[in-house]
Amino acid sequence: MPDWIAAVILGLVEGLTEFIPVSSTGHLLLTKKLLGLPSGFWDTFSVMIQLGAILAVVVVYFQKLWTVLITLHSDPKSRWFATSVLLSVLPSMAIAFVAHDFIKTVLFESVVLICVMLILGGIVLLVVDRWAPEPKEHDAMQLSWQRSLGIGFCQCLAMVPGVSRSGATIVGGVLLGIDRRAAAEFSFFMAIPTMVGAFALDFWSNRDVLTGENLEIIAIGFVVSFLSGLIVVKTMLDFINRYGLAPYGWWRIGVGLIGLGVVFLG
C-alpha cells in the first residue's frame, strides 16, 4: 500500500475519533496493525497528526478562545477559564514527562491491552450514561477548580492506550457533577494544551526521522485529520445531547471484541 493512502486512512481515523470517547489512540494502533505498518515513523506520525484535529477545535471555538486571550488582563472570568484548563492538564503532563518512553515502547505494543480497555471503557460509558449523578455545573468555561483538577486526574487514565482521553475526561466530568455537553466541551478545550504538548515532545524526540519525504506524508495525515475533526467537533455536542454516551459504549465493545477475535482466532 502506498504511504499516502495509509496517511489518508490514519488521518481519517484520527480526526473522526479524537474527540469522541472511543480512544483515537486505540483505533490508530489497531488500524496500523491491520495495515501492517511498522513501528517507528508511523508511531510518530500518529502523534503528530493529532495537531490537525486540535486545529479543528481552535477553528470552531476561535471566537471564544480569542475573546479569552484578549481579555485575560481585564476579565476575571477569562483568567478563571485559562487557569482551569491549565490546572486540568498538569497531572497528565507530569506523568507523560516521567513515563513517556515506557508508555510508547511497552503499553502501545499490546493489542490485547488495547482491546480489553476498549471493552471495559465501553461498559463504563453504558453505566455512566444510565446512572450519572444530577449535574450541578453547566458552563464549560466556568468550572470550579476542584472539578477542573479532578478531570485532569481522570485524563491520566488515558495514558493506557484504549482508555480514551476524551472518554476519561467526559466520564470524569459527568461523575463530578458536570452535564454531558459541558463535560464534552471542556474536554475539547483540554485537548489543545495536552495534544500540543504531546506533539512538541514527540517532535523533539524523533526530529532525526523527520525527513522531507516523511514530512510530506505527515502533511497529508494532518490535513485529513483536520477536515474530519472539524466535522466531529461541529456535530458531537448535539449528538451527545440527543443520544447520550451509550452509542459510543456499544461501539467500543464491538471494536474491542472484534480485535480480540482477530488476535486469538485469526
Side-chain angles (χ1 to χ4, degrees):
M1 175 186 296
D3 285 349
W4 71 268
I5 294 180
V8 170
I9 293 172
L10 292 177
L12 277 172
V13 172
E14 164 59 27
L16 295 175
T17 60
E18 178 61 48
F19 303 110
I20 62 177
V22 299
S23 179
S24 61
T25 300
H27 279 70
L28 282 170
L29 291 172
L30 291 176
T31 303
K32 284 189 295 183
K33 295 289 185 182
L34 287 174
L35 296 178
L37 300 175
S39 299
F41 165 72
W42 289 105
D43 292 334
T44 300
F45 171 92
S46 297
V47 173
M48 301 193 79
I49 63 170
Q50 290 176 340
L51 200 62
I54 297 309
L55 182 60
V57 175
V58 174
V59 169
V60 172
Y61 286 96
F62 179 79
Q63 190 58 53
K64 281 187 177 182
L65 295 172
W66 180 250
T67 300
V68 168
L69 183 63
I70 64 176
T71 60
L72 275 175
H73 67 287
S74 59
D75 189 348
K77 288 186 176 181
S78 294
R79 288 196 294 272
W80 183 266
F81 168 68
T83 301
S84 67
V85 172
L86 291 175
L87 191 65
S88 69
V89 301
L90 287 178
S92 58
M93 284 189 169
I95 292 178
F97 183 78
V98 173
H100 175 264
D101 291 342
F102 173 77
I103 293 168
K104 289 291 294 288
T105 59
V106 179
L107 297 183
F108 274 46
E109 293 301 316
S110 175
V111 175
V112 172
L113 174 65
I114 294 168
C115 293
V116 170
M117 289 299 103
L118 284 170
I119 294 169
L120 292 178
I123 294 171
V124 170
L125 287 179
L126 295 178
V127 171
V128 170
D129 193 57
R130 184 160 185 173
W131 289 290
E134 189 70 23
K136 297 180 176 62
E137 295 201 39
H138 305 271
D139 186 352
M141 300 189 74
Q142 292 300 310
L143 301 182
S144 66
W145 71 266
Q146 294 94 333
R147 287 190 171 92
S148 298
L149 187 59
I151 295 173
F153 281 111
C154 291
Q155 182 171 244
C156 294
L157 298 173
M159 297 294 177
V160 180
V163 169
S164 169
R165 187 204 61 79
S166 57
T169 53
I170 293 172
V171 167
V174 169
L175 292 178
L176 289 169
I178 305 167
D179 75 49
R180 291 181 303 204
R181 185 184 182 92
E185 196 169 30
F186 190 72
S187 178
F188 290 166
F189 296 138
M190 288 178 67
I192 298 173
T194 300
M195 294 296 100
V196 168
F199 172 88
L201 182 60
D202 227 76
F203 179 86
W204 181 254
S205 300
N206 298 280
R207 59 193 183 281
D208 54 320
V209 303
L210 300 177
T211 62
E213 183 179 350
N214 286 343
L215 287 175
E216 290 179 8
I217 298 300
I218 291 172
I220 292 172
F222 181 96
V223 172
V224 175
S225 172
F226 166 71
L227 294 175
S228 52
L230 203 60
I231 296 171
V232 173
V233 173
K234 287 184 173 181
T235 59
M236 180 188 167
L237 297 183
D238 288 336
F239 185 91
I240 283 185
N241 252 3
R242 178 173 296 185
Y243 301 107
L245 300 172
Y248 302 116
W250 289 117
W251 174 264
R252 290 177 62 111
I253 292 171
V255 172
L257 289 174
I258 291 172
L260 288 178
V262 170
V263 170
F264 292 110
L265 301 177

